[in-house]
Amino acid sequence: MSAALKSREFLLAVALAVAVAVIGLYQPVFVEWENLSDMLTETSVLFMLALAQMVVILTRGIDLSVAANLALSGFLAALVSQYYPGVPLILMILVGVLSGLVLGMLNGVLVAALGIPSIVVTLGTLAVYRGMIIIIAGGDQVNASEMGVSFQAFPKDSFLGLTTPIWITIVVSVIFWVFLSFTRTGRGFYAVGGNPVAARYCGIDQGKQEFLAYSISGAVSGLCGYLWVARYGVAYSEIANGYELTVIAACVIGGVSIGGGVGTVPGALLGALFLGIVNTALPVLQITPFWQMAISGAVILAAVVINARAERRPDKLILPEARRLGRQRS
């Protein structure tokens, strides 16, 4: 019980509750249900991308192409809606998901099979994916008037007071929690990132785990691509430009270790929620855009420092002489 109270997730949840209460006292409109519902809906994409990014980071990798993947997958789904408006909605969504999956699998092959560092691969594919949108579209964009009615209506629908993106986020979060907590493949991500050598001796295929991690990241990015373009009614090459840094920041704030092997679903969700609250609260508090960027950057930097200190562990001293020197220094 005491360990749970000291966990990163519990402390972050308490900090969020205090922050919301303080902001609500200053600006009561902030804690009104309509405002909170809008904030959760706007943050839904970040919730899901943070979970997908966490899986990649658990394997000691990183996916810088998530936002570009989102843009390209969403654009392809929008094109289907534009040229084939009679296609069932589920197929349009599948176009986005499968497009993202293929793009994620490409990252997985380059990282897992060819052994190229993930930061190099995904930085390259980031540019390739955005370039592909320009080539396909010829520099043009798909506007709301060119998309189908059902295509745009689905993300704006609500059920039991919650919008569709929030319900999708809940389902995706439960799937990730069950997968990472109770399946051998899910636990394999932690093993590969925590100790690759030990994982190999246990019979866990590191390449297979990495390929699966990037594939999952791609599929979730594709789903988010559809939700993004359908909700905002526009698809073009610069959608979510730079959003990959926000996704990584959400993971770091939520306690996901960049060194791999450490991270939880609640932590990643709380990290994304923290950024969602910050981004919503700062305009409500009438803080200028310059200070909004500065404060957001300071929060992310503080989270990185806290993570770095938490991960610092003293080396184990084996030789008697080293242990004796260690005691003398202490």
Side-chain angles (χ1 to χ4, degrees):
M1 184 66 180
S2 60
L5 295 178
K6 294 179 181 177
S7 68
R8 176 67 170 266
E9 292 80 3
F10 178 79
L11 297 176
L12 187 54
V14 171
L16 287 175
V18 172
V20 170
V22 171
I23 298 169
L25 288 174
Y26 186 76
Q27 289 286 356
V29 68
F30 181 77
V31 293
E32 291 180 359
W33 171 244
E34 185 177 355
N35 182 67
L36 293 178
S37 178
D38 289 342
M39 181 196 67
L40 292 175
T41 302
E42 294 293 333
T43 315
S44 295
V45 167
L46 181 57
F47 282 130
M48 289 184 276
L49 289 181
L51 292 175
Q53 186 72 242
M54 182 188 72
V55 173
V56 175
I57 294 177
L58 285 177
T59 65
R60 299 192 176 188
I62 197 161
D63 190 352
L64 297 177
S65 67
V66 286
N69 187 331
L70 177 154
L72 178 54
S73 302
F75 186 83
L76 293 175
L79 281 181
V80 173
S81 175
Q82 179 185 9
Y83 291 107
Y84 305 98
V87 171
L89 175 62
I90 185 64
L91 293 181
M92 296 183 191
I93 298 175
L94 282 176
V95 168
V97 175
L98 294 178
S99 300
L101 174 63
V102 171
L103 299 177
M105 291 170 67
L106 175 61
N107 284 336
V109 169
L110 294 174
V111 172
L114 301 183
I116 305 174
S118 59
I119 191 170
V120 176
V121 169
T122 55
L123 192 60
T125 52
L126 179 158
V128 171
Y129 296 163
R130 293 206 180 272
M132 287 176 64
I133 301 175
I134 298 175
I135 294 173
I136 295 172
D140 204 353
Q141 63 183 32
V142 181
N143 297 311
S145 60
E146 300 168 314
M147 299 177 188
V149 175
S150 62
F151 184 83
Q152 297 181 72
F154 184 63
K156 299 171 185 173
D157 289 340
S158 62
F159 177 69
L160 297 177
L162 300 178
T163 60
T164 304
I166 298 177
W167 282 113
I168 294 176
T169 300
I170 293 173
V171 172
V172 170
S173 300
V174 171
I175 292 173
F176 268 81
W177 178 70
V178 172
F179 177 62
L180 293 176
S181 302
F182 302 107
T183 67
R184 176 181 172 82
T185 303
R187 302 306 298 171
F189 293 124
Y190 290 93
V192 168
N195 193 326
V197 176
R200 194 179 310 125
Y201 280 114
C202 291
I204 299 175
D205 189 329
Q206 181 176 353
K208 181 180 177 182
Q209 294 289 146
E210 290 176 336
F211 176 77
L212 183 58
Y214 288 96
S215 300
I216 292 172
S217 178
V220 174
S221 299
L223 173 62
C224 293
Y226 158 72
L227 292 173
W228 188 296
V229 301
R231 178 169 174 76
Y232 296 110
V234 64
Y236 60 102
S237 63
E238 295 303 312
I239 279 182
N241 192 12
Y243 203 64
E244 59 275 359
L245 299 181
T246 304
V247 174
I248 295 170
C251 292
V252 173
I253 293 173
V256 180
S257 172
I258 295 297
V262 177
T264 64
V265 169
L269 293 175
L270 288 170
L273 180 60
F274 185 91
L275 290 180
I277 290 175
V278 169
N279 292 333
T280 305
L282 295 181
V284 172
L285 296 175
Q286 299 179 347
I287 296 176
T288 62
F290 170 76
W291 280 106
Q292 290 178 28
M293 293 180 61
I295 293 173
S296 298
V299 168
I300 294 169
L301 185 60
V304 172
V305 172
I306 293 172
N307 268 8
R309 291 182 63 83
E311 293 170 12
R312 188 179 300 168
R313 295 285 186 275
D315 295 332
K316 185 178 181 180
L317 302 177
I318 300 175
L319 298 176
E321 293 81 1
R323 289 201 295 269
R324 188 164 52 252
L325 287 174
R327 285 195 294 271
Q328 291 174 356
R329 290 175 181 173
S330 62

